[in-house]
Amino acid sequence: MRLSRYFLPVLKETPREAQIVSHRYMLQAGMIKQASAGIYSWLPLGFKVLKKIENIVHEEQARAGHMAMLMPTIQSADLWRESGRYDAYGDEMLRIKDRGGRDMLYTPTAEELITDVFRSHVTSYKDLPLTMYQIQWKFRDEVRPRFGVMRGREFYMKDGYNFDLSKEDALHAYNRHLVTYLRTFERMGLQAIPMRADSGPIGGDYTHEFLVLADTGESEVFYDSEISDLTFGDRDINFDDYAACQAVLEEFTSRYARTDETHDEAAFAEVPEARRRTARGIEVGQIFYFGTTYSDKLDATVQGPDGKPVKIHMGSHGIGVSRLLGAIIEANHDDNGIIWPEGVTPFHVGILNMRSGDAAADAACNDLYAKFKALGLDPLYDDRDERAGAKFGTMDMIGLPWRVTVGPRGLKNGVVELTSRRTGESEELPPEEAVARVAAIYANL
Ligand code: ATP
Ligand code: MG
């Protein structure tokens, strides 16, 4: 993409409404525009990152054999009356009437609808286990929408649901989700720590929240610092192997890590003092096993191996896809702007022409641009007729991890400059080498 043709409404001034850095940078970098409180338009740059994040979620769910599907945002109130949540949900639920006076709502989550799909079509244990998920817009009329996409009213969420014959199978699904989430967040350049959470009104003993540590996080968290050393990395897990998934869960959840809701001073005191940490965190995901709560309420039953009816064991599993943009920026930025991890960057590399209009510089930039594209990479070429200073400012703000700077002086010596946004380190090298270097970085992702 050539920046002269791209829609990138970068703001010069600091937006006053933004209290935290991710909100400020998303507005300044022209990624989002508020439409009304807690509701945003996603401009091209923001939308690109949103889709990258969504894509990673899809790839990791597919790896575990979970099936993508899509349910409507506007749902009839009937099912929600059947489960008892139409009244229980309270003011966070946006209620709508259609022209016939029927009660509808904008979905805040989808346990009811997916259970209805399930009970309408699945009658035998032979069709289990089953896990389906969607990535769909949700609406919760939050009391205090704030921090941009972090706590919106309309937000994009992955919600997955498992249907199993027994508690043991459902706990395997729980473990499987934990494994997929660890890998999902790491691919986005985040360490998200699973912490024991409070199951709240859904009930059930098993729930973990995934928290990204950040000073601006809304939750207070308590953990054993040894957890910071854990990485999931490139492990090849067989998702059908109960013991393998269980072992990962144990590895990542055996040390103390809790949110303020479940924090226990006495248990925390058993962690050696030098390893005790108190910090703030952003919840980017949560997994639940809640047994037969919904299958009881909505009568989801299948015929078991012995011919007798069996109530389905379920769990639900969420990822805050739109919130993740904020969380990634909170964890990856400096005073000049965003620093995207390679896994989610909107463009792989920026090309900065120091002297647009100079024949040699223009030709070298066009050539770099073509070479990157030929290798399947997605470059952003700043070909605008602007001062170099303004171009550097824009590149730093939008945070592409790699930048190639091209100027007449370097070209005389046959070199361009390759710069890492994260370290600020630059290296002069021939254009073909700069291309090969960038290509090699992304080849490993
Ligand atoms: P919170 O405690 O932050 O209100 P929650 O526990 O109610 O969130 P879940 O029902 O677990 O949220 O939803 C799954 C994920 O969706 C959360 O882990 C979070 O990342 C994201 N999420 C929830 N509410 C919002 C919101 N208002 N704006 C953006 N993302 C949200
Ligand atoms: Mg939650």
Side-chain angles (χ1 to χ4, degrees), residues 108-142:
T109 171
E111 281 83 3
E112 282 77 359
L113 204 59
I114 189 96
T115 306
D116 186 53
V117 169
F118 178 87
R119 72 180 178 185
S120 307
H121 297 291
V122 180
T123 52
S124 161
Y125 73 96
K126 289 180 191 148
D127 296 323
L128 302 179
L130 186 63
T131 295
M132 293 189 279
Y133 74 95
Q134 65 171 348
I135 301 180
Q136 176 63 297
W137 294 96
K138 303 292 184 304
F139 196 96
R140 295 182 189 170
D141 204 351
E142 301 272 355

PDB file of all heavy atoms in Angstrom, residues 108-142:
ATOM      1  N   PRO A 108     -25.268 -10.495  24.335  1.00  0.00           N
ATOM      2  CA  PRO A 108     -24.081 -10.221  25.140  1.00  0.00           C
ATOM      3  C   PRO A 108     -23.176 -11.452  25.230  1.00  0.00           C
ATOM      4  O   PRO A 108     -22.010 -11.371  25.622  1.00  0.00           O
ATOM      5  CB  PRO A 108     -24.658  -9.899  26.529  1.00  0.00           C
ATOM      6  CG  PRO A 108     -25.981 -10.613  26.584  1.00  0.00           C
ATOM      7  CD  PRO A 108     -26.449 -10.826  25.167  1.00  0.00           C
ATOM      8  N   THR A 109     -23.691 -12.627  24.866  1.00  0.00           N
ATOM      9  CA  THR A 109     -23.014 -13.920  24.893  1.00  0.00           C
ATOM     10  C   THR A 109     -24.023 -14.898  24.293  1.00  0.00           C
ATOM     11  O   THR A 109     -25.132 -14.492  23.979  1.00  0.00           O
ATOM     12  CB  THR A 109     -22.584 -14.304  26.334  1.00  0.00           C
ATOM     13  OG1 THR A 109     -22.118 -15.649  26.339  1.00  0.00           O
ATOM     14  CG2 THR A 109     -23.741 -14.221  27.321  1.00  0.00           C
ATOM     15  N   ALA A 110     -23.643 -16.168  24.088  1.00  0.00           N
ATOM     16  CA  ALA A 110     -24.557 -16.984  23.274  1.00  0.00           C
ATOM     17  C   ALA A 110     -24.806 -18.409  23.787  1.00  0.00           C
ATOM     18  O   ALA A 110     -25.112 -19.300  23.001  1.00  0.00           O
ATOM     19  CB  ALA A 110     -24.053 -17.015  21.833  1.00  0.00           C
ATOM     20  N   GLU A 111     -24.704 -18.628  25.092  1.00  0.00           N
ATOM     21  CA  GLU A 111     -24.949 -19.985  25.618  1.00  0.00           C
ATOM     22  C   GLU A 111     -26.335 -20.500  25.230  1.00  0.00           C
ATOM     23  O   GLU A 111     -26.502 -21.664  24.858  1.00  0.00           O
ATOM     24  CB  GLU A 111     -24.824 -20.019  27.145  1.00  0.00           C
ATOM     25  CG  GLU A 111     -23.413 -20.065  27.684  1.00  0.00           C
ATOM     26  CD  GLU A 111     -22.754 -18.693  27.770  1.00  0.00           C
ATOM     27  OE1 GLU A 111     -23.429 -17.675  27.456  1.00  0.00           O
ATOM     28  OE2 GLU A 111     -21.565 -18.623  28.140  1.00  0.00           O
ATOM     29  N   GLU A 112     -27.343 -19.643  25.321  1.00  0.00           N
ATOM     30  CA  GLU A 112     -28.709 -20.076  25.032  1.00  0.00           C
ATOM     31  C   GLU A 112     -28.870 -20.523  23.583  1.00  0.00           C
ATOM     32  O   GLU A 112     -29.410 -21.588  23.299  1.00  0.00           O
ATOM     33  CB  GLU A 112     -29.710 -18.932  25.320  1.00  0.00           C
ATOM     34  CG  GLU A 112     -30.041 -18.735  26.785  1.00  0.00           C
ATOM     35  CD  GLU A 112     -28.955 -18.016  27.584  1.00  0.00           C
ATOM     36  OE1 GLU A 112     -27.912 -17.675  26.992  1.00  0.00           O
ATOM     37  OE2 GLU A 112     -29.149 -17.813  28.795  1.00  0.00           O
ATOM     38  N   LEU A 113     -28.399 -19.665  22.667  1.00  0.00           N
ATOM     39  CA  LEU A 113     -28.629 -19.964  21.261  1.00  0.00           C
ATOM     40  C   LEU A 113     -27.867 -21.216  20.810  1.00  0.00           C
ATOM     41  O   LEU A 113     -28.390 -22.041  20.070  1.00  0.00           O
ATOM     42  CB  LEU A 113     -28.239 -18.757  20.393  1.00  0.00           C
ATOM     43  CG  LEU A 113     -28.944 -18.716  19.042  1.00  0.00           C
ATOM     44  CD1 LEU A 113     -30.446 -18.675  19.192  1.00  0.00           C
ATOM     45  CD2 LEU A 113     -28.479 -17.519  18.232  1.00  0.00           C
ATOM     46  N   ILE A 114     -26.627 -21.345  21.282  1.00  0.00           N
ATOM     47  CA  ILE A 114     -25.852 -22.525  20.849  1.00  0.00           C
ATOM     48  C   ILE A 114     -26.470 -23.795  21.448  1.00  0.00           C
ATOM     49  O   ILE A 114     -26.507 -24.837  20.799  1.00  0.00           O
ATOM     50  CB  ILE A 114     -24.357 -22.386  21.219  1.00  0.00           C
ATOM     51  CG1 ILE A 114     -23.533 -23.510  20.577  1.00  0.00           C
ATOM     52  CG2 ILE A 114     -24.113 -22.454  22.706  1.00  0.00           C
ATOM     53  CD1 ILE A 114     -22.897 -23.148  19.324  1.00  0.00           C
ATOM     54  N   THR A 115     -26.978 -23.698  22.669  1.00  0.00           N
ATOM     55  CA  THR A 115     -27.592 -24.879  23.275  1.00  0.00           C
ATOM     56  C   THR A 115     -28.853 -25.265  22.504  1.00  0.00           C
ATOM     57  O   THR A 115     -29.172 -26.442  22.353  1.00  0.00           O
ATOM     58  CB  THR A 115     -27.906 -24.614  24.767  1.00  0.00           C
ATOM     59  OG1 THR A 115     -26.711 -24.173  25.401  1.00  0.00           O
ATOM     60  CG2 THR A 115     -28.392 -25.875  25.466  1.00  0.00           C
ATOM     61  N   ASP A 116     -29.549 -24.263  21.999  1.00  0.00           N
ATOM     62  CA  ASP A 116     -30.739 -24.550  21.198  1.00  0.00           C
ATOM     63  C   ASP A 116     -30.351 -25.227  19.877  1.00  0.00           C
ATOM     64  O   ASP A 116     -31.020 -26.165  19.433  1.00  0.00           O
ATOM     65  CB  ASP A 116     -31.510 -23.255  20.933  1.00  0.00           C
ATOM     66  CG  ASP A 116     -32.821 -23.537  20.223  1.00  0.00           C
ATOM     67  OD1 ASP A 116     -33.595 -24.382  20.728  1.00  0.00           O
ATOM     68  OD2 ASP A 116     -33.056 -22.949  19.153  1.00  0.00           O
ATOM     69  N   VAL A 117     -29.275 -24.759  19.256  1.00  0.00           N
ATOM     70  CA  VAL A 117     -28.785 -25.418  18.025  1.00  0.00           C
ATOM     71  C   VAL A 117     -28.467 -26.876  18.355  1.00  0.00           C
ATOM     72  O   VAL A 117     -28.869 -27.800  17.650  1.00  0.00           O
ATOM     73  CB  VAL A 117     -27.516 -24.706  17.487  1.00  0.00           C
ATOM     74  CG1 VAL A 117     -26.863 -25.529  16.386  1.00  0.00           C
ATOM     75  CG2 VAL A 117     -27.849 -23.303  16.997  1.00  0.00           C
ATOM     76  N   PHE A 118     -27.780 -27.056  19.457  1.00  0.00           N
ATOM     77  CA  PHE A 118     -27.356 -28.394  19.853  1.00  0.00           C
ATOM     78  C   PHE A 118     -28.559 -29.309  20.104  1.00  0.00           C
ATOM     79  O   PHE A 118     -28.660 -30.404  19.528  1.00  0.00           O
ATOM     80  CB  PHE A 118     -26.497 -28.308  21.119  1.00  0.00           C
ATOM     81  CG  PHE A 118     -26.049 -29.647  21.618  1.00  0.00           C
ATOM     82  CD1 PHE A 118     -24.884 -30.224  21.136  1.00  0.00           C
ATOM     83  CD2 PHE A 118     -26.804 -30.362  22.543  1.00  0.00           C
ATOM     84  CE1 PHE A 118     -24.472 -31.476  21.563  1.00  0.00           C
ATOM     85  CE2 PHE A 118     -26.413 -31.614  22.979  1.00  0.00           C
ATOM     86  CZ  PHE A 118     -25.243 -32.172  22.487  1.00  0.00           C
ATOM     87  N   ARG A 119     -29.496 -28.864  20.910  1.00  0.00           N
ATOM     88  CA  ARG A 119     -30.608 -29.759  21.292  1.00  0.00           C
ATOM     89  C   ARG A 119     -31.527 -30.061  20.104  1.00  0.00           C
ATOM     90  O   ARG A 119     -32.231 -31.055  20.097  1.00  0.00           O
ATOM     91  CB  ARG A 119     -31.396 -29.178  22.465  1.00  0.00           C
ATOM     92  CG  ARG A 119     -32.244 -27.975  22.109  1.00  0.00           C
ATOM     93  CD  ARG A 119     -33.009 -27.427  23.310  1.00  0.00           C
ATOM     94  NE  ARG A 119     -33.758 -26.245  22.910  1.00  0.00           N
ATOM     95  CZ  ARG A 119     -34.447 -25.477  23.719  1.00  0.00           C
ATOM     96  NH1 ARG A 119     -34.496 -25.752  25.015  1.00  0.00           N
ATOM     97  NH2 ARG A 119     -35.102 -24.423  23.269  1.00  0.00           N
ATOM     98  N   SER A 120     -31.518 -29.161  19.098  1.00  0.00           N
ATOM     99  CA  SER A 120     -32.357 -29.391  17.921  1.00  0.00           C
ATOM    100  C   SER A 120     -31.790 -30.466  16.997  1.00  0.00           C
ATOM    101  O   SER A 120     -32.508 -31.033  16.196  1.00  0.00           O
ATOM    102  CB  SER A 120     -32.493 -28.113  17.096  1.00  0.00           C
ATOM    103  OG  SER A 120     -32.936 -27.071  17.898  1.00  0.00           O
ATOM    104  N   HIS A 121     -30.470 -30.687  17.087  1.00  0.00           N
ATOM    105  CA  HIS A 121     -29.850 -31.568  16.093  1.00  0.00           C
ATOM    106  C   HIS A 121     -29.111 -32.772  16.654  1.00  0.00           C
ATOM    107  O   HIS A 121     -28.856 -33.712  15.925  1.00  0.00           O
ATOM    108  CB  HIS A 121     -28.878 -30.766  15.225  1.00  0.00           C
ATOM    109  CG  HIS A 121     -29.552 -29.694  14.433  1.00  0.00           C
ATOM    110  ND1 HIS A 121     -30.397 -29.968  13.390  1.00  0.00           N
ATOM    111  CD2 HIS A 121     -29.533 -28.346  14.548  1.00  0.00           C
ATOM    112  CE1 HIS A 121     -30.870 -28.834  12.886  1.00  0.00           C
ATOM    113  NE2 HIS A 121     -30.359 -27.842  13.578  1.00  0.00           N
ATOM    114  N   VAL A 122     -28.710 -32.705  17.904  1.00  0.00           N
ATOM    115  CA  VAL A 122     -27.888 -33.800  18.432  1.00  0.00           C
ATOM    116  C   VAL A 122     -28.720 -34.639  19.398  1.00  0.00           C
ATOM    117  O   VAL A 122     -29.259 -34.115  20.376  1.00  0.00           O
ATOM    118  CB  VAL A 122     -26.632 -33.253  19.148  1.00  0.00           C
ATOM    119  CG1 VAL A 122     -25.784 -34.393  19.681  1.00  0.00           C
ATOM    120  CG2 VAL A 122     -25.813 -32.393  18.196  1.00  0.00           C
ATOM    121  N   THR A 123     -28.823 -35.918  19.087  1.00  0.00           N
ATOM    122  CA  THR A 123     -29.661 -36.763  19.929  1.00  0.00           C
ATOM    123  C   THR A 123     -28.899 -37.947  20.526  1.00  0.00           C
ATOM    124  O   THR A 123     -29.380 -38.584  21.455  1.00  0.00           O
ATOM    125  CB  THR A 123     -30.847 -37.329  19.101  1.00  0.00           C
ATOM    126  OG1 THR A 123     -30.303 -37.940  17.921  1.00  0.00           O
ATOM    127  CG2 THR A 123     -31.829 -36.238  18.720  1.00  0.00           C
ATOM    128  N   SER A 124     -27.712 -38.215  19.988  1.00  0.00           N
ATOM    129  CA  SER A 124     -27.006 -39.408  20.436  1.00  0.00           C
ATOM    130  C   SER A 124     -25.602 -39.094  20.939  1.00  0.00           C
ATOM    131  O   SER A 124     -24.935 -38.179  20.440  1.00  0.00           O
ATOM    132  CB  SER A 124     -26.901 -40.402  19.271  1.00  0.00           C
ATOM    133  OG  SER A 124     -25.871 -41.346  19.534  1.00  0.00           O
ATOM    134  N   TYR A 125     -25.151 -39.877  21.891  1.00  0.00           N
ATOM    135  CA  TYR A 125     -23.778 -39.734  22.417  1.00  0.00           C
ATOM    136  C   TYR A 125     -22.742 -39.906  21.309  1.00  0.00           C
ATOM    137  O   TYR A 125     -21.619 -39.444  21.410  1.00  0.00           O
ATOM    138  CB  TYR A 125     -23.533 -40.759  23.530  1.00  0.00           C
ATOM    139  CG  TYR A 125     -23.368 -42.170  23.031  1.00  0.00           C
ATOM    140  CD1 TYR A 125     -22.100 -42.704  22.812  1.00  0.00           C
ATOM    141  CD2 TYR A 125     -24.477 -42.973  22.747  1.00  0.00           C
ATOM    142  CE1 TYR A 125     -21.935 -43.991  22.317  1.00  0.00           C
ATOM    143  CE2 TYR A 125     -24.325 -44.246  22.251  1.00  0.00           C
ATOM    144  CZ  TYR A 125     -23.059 -44.757  22.046  1.00  0.00           C
ATOM    145  OH  TYR A 125     -22.897 -46.011  21.553  1.00  0.00           O
ATOM    146  N   LYS A 126     -23.168 -40.577  20.221  1.00  0.00           N
ATOM    147  CA  LYS A 126     -22.211 -40.840  19.141  1.00  0.00           C
ATOM    148  C   LYS A 126     -21.731 -39.559  18.463  1.00  0.00           C
ATOM    149  O   LYS A 126     -20.700 -39.545  17.801  1.00  0.00           O
ATOM    150  CB  LYS A 126     -22.839 -41.757  18.079  1.00  0.00           C
ATOM    151  CG  LYS A 126     -23.016 -43.177  18.576  1.00  0.00           C
ATOM    152  CD  LYS A 126     -23.646 -44.029  17.499  1.00  0.00           C
ATOM    153  CE  LYS A 126     -24.072 -45.374  18.076  1.00  0.00           C
ATOM    154  NZ  LYS A 126     -25.268 -45.909  17.399  1.00  0.00           N
ATOM    155  N   ASP A 127     -22.521 -38.487  18.599  1.00  0.00           N
ATOM    156  CA  ASP A 127     -22.146 -37.212  17.967  1.00  0.00           C
ATOM    157  C   ASP A 127     -21.224 -36.368  18.853  1.00  0.00           C
ATOM    158  O   ASP A 127     -20.881 -35.235  18.500  1.00  0.00           O
ATOM    159  CB  ASP A 127     -23.397 -36.403  17.618  1.00  0.00           C
ATOM    160  CG  ASP A 127     -24.239 -37.125  16.583  1.00  0.00           C
ATOM    161  OD1 ASP A 127     -23.645 -37.755  15.694  1.00  0.00           O
ATOM    162  OD2 ASP A 127     -25.479 -37.077  16.689  1.00  0.00           O
ATOM    163  N   LEU A 128     -20.852 -36.916  20.003  1.00  0.00           N
ATOM    164  CA  LEU A 128     -19.998 -36.159  20.925  1.00  0.00           C
ATOM    165  C   LEU A 128     -18.588 -36.727  20.884  1.00  0.00           C
ATOM    166  O   LEU A 128     -18.414 -37.869  20.497  1.00  0.00           O
ATOM    167  CB  LEU A 128     -20.568 -36.263  22.341  1.00  0.00           C
ATOM    168  CG  LEU A 128     -21.996 -35.759  22.467  1.00  0.00           C
ATOM    169  CD1 LEU A 128     -22.482 -35.929  23.901  1.00  0.00           C
ATOM    170  CD2 LEU A 128     -22.094 -34.303  22.065  1.00  0.00           C
ATOM    171  N   PRO A 129     -17.576 -35.979  21.283  1.00  0.00           N
ATOM    172  CA  PRO A 129     -17.619 -34.589  21.772  1.00  0.00           C
ATOM    173  C   PRO A 129     -17.795 -33.586  20.633  1.00  0.00           C
ATOM    174  O   PRO A 129     -17.539 -33.909  19.465  1.00  0.00           O
ATOM    175  CB  PRO A 129     -16.238 -34.414  22.409  1.00  0.00           C
ATOM    176  CG  PRO A 129     -15.353 -35.333  21.617  1.00  0.00           C
ATOM    177  CD  PRO A 129     -16.217 -36.505  21.236  1.00  0.00           C
ATOM    178  N   LEU A 130     -18.190 -32.382  20.992  1.00  0.00           N
ATOM    179  CA  LEU A 130     -18.448 -31.344  20.004  1.00  0.00           C
ATOM    180  C   LEU A 130     -18.061 -29.984  20.579  1.00  0.00           C
ATOM    181  O   LEU A 130     -18.493 -29.648  21.693  1.00  0.00           O
ATOM    182  CB  LEU A 130     -19.943 -31.373  19.677  1.00  0.00           C
ATOM    183  CG  LEU A 130     -20.453 -30.486  18.566  1.00  0.00           C
ATOM    184  CD1 LEU A 130     -19.838 -30.865  17.225  1.00  0.00           C
ATOM    185  CD2 LEU A 130     -21.980 -30.619  18.468  1.00  0.00           C
ATOM    186  N   THR A 131     -17.242 -29.249  19.844  1.00  0.00           N
ATOM    187  CA  THR A 131     -16.939 -27.876  20.256  1.00  0.00           C
ATOM    188  C   THR A 131     -17.101 -26.960  19.057  1.00  0.00           C
ATOM    189  O   THR A 131     -16.512 -27.193  18.000  1.00  0.00           O
ATOM    190  CB  THR A 131     -15.497 -27.753  20.806  1.00  0.00           C
ATOM    191  OG1 THR A 131     -15.393 -28.528  21.996  1.00  0.00           O
ATOM    192  CG2 THR A 131     -15.153 -26.303  21.139  1.00  0.00           C
ATOM    193  N   MET A 132     -17.935 -25.948  19.236  1.00  0.00           N
ATOM    194  CA  MET A 132     -18.140 -24.958  18.182  1.00  0.00           C
ATOM    195  C   MET A 132     -17.902 -23.580  18.773  1.00  0.00           C
ATOM    196  O   MET A 132     -18.082 -23.372  19.971  1.00  0.00           O
ATOM    197  CB  MET A 132     -19.563 -25.056  17.633  1.00  0.00           C
ATOM    198  CG  MET A 132     -19.802 -26.364  16.901  1.00  0.00           C
ATOM    199  SD  MET A 132     -21.383 -26.376  16.030  1.00  0.00           S
ATOM    200  CE  MET A 132     -22.507 -26.784  17.351  1.00  0.00           C
ATOM    201  N   TYR A 133     -17.505 -22.679  17.895  1.00  0.00           N
ATOM    202  CA  TYR A 133     -17.258 -21.322  18.387  1.00  0.00           C
ATOM    203  C   TYR A 133     -17.584 -20.325  17.296  1.00  0.00           C
ATOM    204  O   TYR A 133     -17.723 -20.681  16.117  1.00  0.00           O
ATOM    205  CB  TYR A 133     -15.790 -21.157  18.817  1.00  0.00           C
ATOM    206  CG  TYR A 133     -14.840 -21.056  17.657  1.00  0.00           C
ATOM    207  CD1 TYR A 133     -14.446 -19.806  17.180  1.00  0.00           C
ATOM    208  CD2 TYR A 133     -14.383 -22.195  16.998  1.00  0.00           C
ATOM    209  CE1 TYR A 133     -13.592 -19.699  16.088  1.00  0.00           C
ATOM    210  CE2 TYR A 133     -13.531 -22.082  15.907  1.00  0.00           C
ATOM    211  CZ  TYR A 133     -13.143 -20.841  15.460  1.00  0.00           C
ATOM    212  OH  TYR A 133     -12.308 -20.732  14.380  1.00  0.00           O
ATOM    213  N   GLN A 134     -17.704 -19.081  17.695  1.00  0.00           N
ATOM    214  CA  GLN A 134     -17.885 -18.005  16.727  1.00  0.00           C
ATOM    215  C   GLN A 134     -17.022 -16.821  17.136  1.00  0.00           C
ATOM    216  O   GLN A 134     -16.574 -16.724  18.281  1.00  0.00           O
ATOM    217  CB  GLN A 134     -19.351 -17.574  16.671  1.00  0.00           C
ATOM    218  CG  GLN A 134     -19.835 -16.954  17.976  1.00  0.00           C
ATOM    219  CD  GLN A 134     -21.227 -16.329  17.874  1.00  0.00           C
ATOM    220  OE1 GLN A 134     -21.768 -16.154  16.789  1.00  0.00           O
ATOM    221  NE2 GLN A 134     -21.801 -15.991  19.032  1.00  0.00           N
ATOM    222  N   ILE A 135     -16.776 -15.944  16.176  1.00  0.00           N
ATOM    223  CA  ILE A 135     -16.185 -14.646  16.496  1.00  0.00           C
ATOM    224  C   ILE A 135     -17.209 -13.644  15.993  1.00  0.00           C
ATOM    225  O   ILE A 135     -17.468 -13.553  14.787  1.00  0.00           O
ATOM    226  CB  ILE A 135     -14.809 -14.459  15.830  1.00  0.00           C
ATOM    227  CG1 ILE A 135     -13.852 -15.565  16.307  1.00  0.00           C
ATOM    228  CG2 ILE A 135     -14.244 -13.076  16.166  1.00  0.00           C
ATOM    229  CD1 ILE A 135     -12.445 -15.507  15.717  1.00  0.00           C
ATOM    230  N   GLN A 136     -17.831 -12.975  16.907  1.00  0.00           N
ATOM    231  CA  GLN A 136     -19.000 -12.165  16.556  1.00  0.00           C
ATOM    232  C   GLN A 136     -19.086 -10.945  17.469  1.00  0.00           C
ATOM    233  O   GLN A 136     -18.600 -10.977  18.609  1.00  0.00           O
ATOM    234  CB  GLN A 136     -20.256 -13.053  16.700  1.00  0.00           C
ATOM    235  CG  GLN A 136     -21.590 -12.398  16.475  1.00  0.00           C
ATOM    236  CD  GLN A 136     -21.787 -11.862  15.058  1.00  0.00           C
ATOM    237  OE1 GLN A 136     -21.069 -10.965  14.616  1.00  0.00           O
ATOM    238  NE2 GLN A 136     -22.760 -12.417  14.349  1.00  0.00           N
ATOM    239  N   TRP A 137     -19.704  -9.899  16.990  1.00  0.00           N
ATOM    240  CA  TRP A 137     -19.916  -8.708  17.810  1.00  0.00           C
ATOM    241  C   TRP A 137     -20.876  -9.003  18.951  1.00  0.00           C
ATOM    242  O   TRP A 137     -21.838  -9.768  18.787  1.00  0.00           O
ATOM    243  CB  TRP A 137     -20.432  -7.553  16.946  1.00  0.00           C
ATOM    244  CG  TRP A 137     -19.373  -7.138  15.983  1.00  0.00           C
ATOM    245  CD1 TRP A 137     -19.244  -7.555  14.685  1.00  0.00           C
ATOM    246  CD2 TRP A 137     -18.235  -6.322  16.266  1.00  0.00           C
ATOM    247  NE1 TRP A 137     -18.085  -7.027  14.141  1.00  0.00           N
ATOM    248  CE2 TRP A 137     -17.455  -6.261  15.084  1.00  0.00           C
ATOM    249  CE3 TRP A 137     -17.786  -5.628  17.395  1.00  0.00           C
ATOM    250  CZ2 TRP A 137     -16.263  -5.543  15.013  1.00  0.00           C
ATOM    251  CZ3 TRP A 137     -16.600  -4.912  17.309  1.00  0.00           C
ATOM    252  CH2 TRP A 137     -15.855  -4.872  16.129  1.00  0.00           C
ATOM    253  N   LYS A 138     -20.567  -8.425  20.084  1.00  0.00           N
ATOM    254  CA  LYS A 138     -21.423  -8.549  21.267  1.00  0.00           C
ATOM    255  C   LYS A 138     -21.781  -7.144  21.718  1.00  0.00           C
ATOM    256  O   LYS A 138     -21.073  -6.185  21.400  1.00  0.00           O
ATOM    257  CB  LYS A 138     -20.663  -9.253  22.404  1.00  0.00           C
ATOM    258  CG  LYS A 138     -20.112 -10.623  22.052  1.00  0.00           C
ATOM    259  CD  LYS A 138     -21.207 -11.635  21.847  1.00  0.00           C
ATOM    260  CE  LYS A 138     -20.691 -13.036  21.590  1.00  0.00           C
ATOM    261  NZ  LYS A 138     -19.762 -13.189  20.476  1.00  0.00           N
ATOM    262  N   PHE A 139     -22.828  -7.057  22.490  1.00  0.00           N
ATOM    263  CA  PHE A 139     -23.157  -5.761  23.080  1.00  0.00           C
ATOM    264  C   PHE A 139     -23.452  -5.933  24.559  1.00  0.00           C
ATOM    265  O   PHE A 139     -24.241  -6.796  24.951  1.00  0.00           O
ATOM    266  CB  PHE A 139     -24.378  -5.129  22.388  1.00  0.00           C
ATOM    267  CG  PHE A 139     -24.511  -3.652  22.706  1.00  0.00           C
ATOM    268  CD1 PHE A 139     -24.000  -2.691  21.846  1.00  0.00           C
ATOM    269  CD2 PHE A 139     -25.132  -3.242  23.886  1.00  0.00           C
ATOM    270  CE1 PHE A 139     -24.098  -1.338  22.165  1.00  0.00           C
ATOM    271  CE2 PHE A 139     -25.222  -1.888  24.198  1.00  0.00           C
ATOM    272  CZ  PHE A 139     -24.706  -0.931  23.341  1.00  0.00           C
ATOM    273  N   ARG A 140     -22.766  -5.147  25.374  1.00  0.00           N
ATOM    274  CA  ARG A 140     -23.091  -5.077  26.796  1.00  0.00           C
ATOM    275  C   ARG A 140     -23.142  -3.597  27.156  1.00  0.00           C
ATOM    276  O   ARG A 140     -22.177  -2.865  26.929  1.00  0.00           O
ATOM    277  CB  ARG A 140     -22.051  -5.797  27.649  1.00  0.00           C
ATOM    278  CG  ARG A 140     -22.030  -7.298  27.381  1.00  0.00           C
ATOM    279  CD  ARG A 140     -21.045  -8.032  28.263  1.00  0.00           C
ATOM    280  NE  ARG A 140     -20.922  -9.406  27.800  1.00  0.00           N
ATOM    281  CZ  ARG A 140     -19.993 -10.277  28.229  1.00  0.00           C
ATOM    282  NH1 ARG A 140     -19.109  -9.888  29.153  1.00  0.00           N
ATOM    283  NH2 ARG A 140     -19.952 -11.510  27.771  1.00  0.00           N
ATOM    284  N   ASP A 141     -24.260  -3.207  27.704  1.00  0.00           N
ATOM    285  CA  ASP A 141     -24.446  -1.787  28.005  1.00  0.00           C
ATOM    286  C   ASP A 141     -23.727  -1.474  29.318  1.00  0.00           C
ATOM    287  O   ASP A 141     -24.353  -1.278  30.357  1.00  0.00           O
ATOM    288  CB  ASP A 141     -25.943  -1.474  28.084  1.00  0.00           C
ATOM    289  CG  ASP A 141     -26.221  -0.006  27.811  1.00  0.00           C
ATOM    290  OD1 ASP A 141     -25.253   0.776  27.741  1.00  0.00           O
ATOM    291  OD2 ASP A 141     -27.412   0.341  27.683  1.00  0.00           O
ATOM    292  N   GLU A 142     -22.399  -1.448  29.241  1.00  0.00           N
ATOM    293  CA  GLU A 142     -21.545  -1.246  30.414  1.00  0.00           C
ATOM    294  C   GLU A 142     -21.895   0.077  31.104  1.00  0.00           C
ATOM    295  O   GLU A 142     -22.188   1.068  30.433  1.00  0.00           O
ATOM    296  CB  GLU A 142     -20.071  -1.202  29.984  1.00  0.00           C
ATOM    297  CG  GLU A 142     -19.569  -2.450  29.272  1.00  0.00           C
ATOM    298  CD  GLU A 142     -19.049  -3.502  30.238  1.00  0.00           C
ATOM    299  OE1 GLU A 142     -18.997  -3.232  31.454  1.00  0.00           O
ATOM    300  OE2 GLU A 142     -18.701  -4.612  29.762  1.00  0.00           O
TER     301      GLU A 142
END
